[in-house]
Amino acid sequence: VQLQASGGGLVQPGGSLRLSCAASGIRVSLYTMGWYRQAPRKQRELVATITTRGSTNYGDSVKDRFTISRDNAKSTVYLQMNSLRPEDTAVYYCNVGRVWSDGSFRDYWGQGTLVTVSS
């Protein structure tokens, strides 16, 4: 299984970026997909998730600014980030996970893409 994230970079405060994460080796339609981030000297935190049915969940700090979406045909999850703030600076990681019928949980992580918000 591979998750390849892209789209990170340097952006000014108030700007926008769109992250993409392409998965291979799994049938993504069976998995919840999501984004997490980790800023320097901080713990990794939830950014957003989207279930197989399209239900979304967002971290409090990104609600109304970020939008997660998925395209199962392309095995890709996206994160549209608007009104970016310096505190959004972090490495962003994509994640896919599912609970199997025996109750076990399995997830996979991408390599991360750096987002820097600075003037």
Side-chain angles (χ1 to χ4, degrees), residues 48-108:
T49 59
I50 183 166
T51 69
T52 57
R53 296 184 178 185
S55 297
T56 58
N57 181 50
Y58 295 92
D60 288 341
S61 62
V62 306
K63 284 180 181 178
D64 301 322
R65 298 189 298 125
F66 291 9
T67 302
I68 189 170
S69 60
R70 62 191 292 164
D71 185 335
N72 290 339
K74 295 182 179 180
S75 297
T76 300
V77 60
Y78 304 97
L79 185 69
Q80 178 66 43
M81 305 185 295
N82 298 329
S83 303
L84 283 161
R85 305 167 179 169
E87 53 265 38
D88 295 317
T89 295
V91 177
Y92 285 69
Y93 298 90
C94 61
N95 173 273
V96 296
R98 67 166 290 183
V99 177
W100 294 83
S101 56
D102 64 358
S104 63
F105 175 76
R106 180 64 192 269
D107 69 341
Y108 303 92

Side-chain angles (χ1 to χ4, degrees), residues 5-11 17-20 81 90 92 112-116:
S6 60
L10 174 64
V11 63
L17 279 177
R18 188 192 194 205
L19 305 183
S20 301
M81 305 185 295
Y92 285 69
T113 185
L114 177 62
V115 172
T116 303

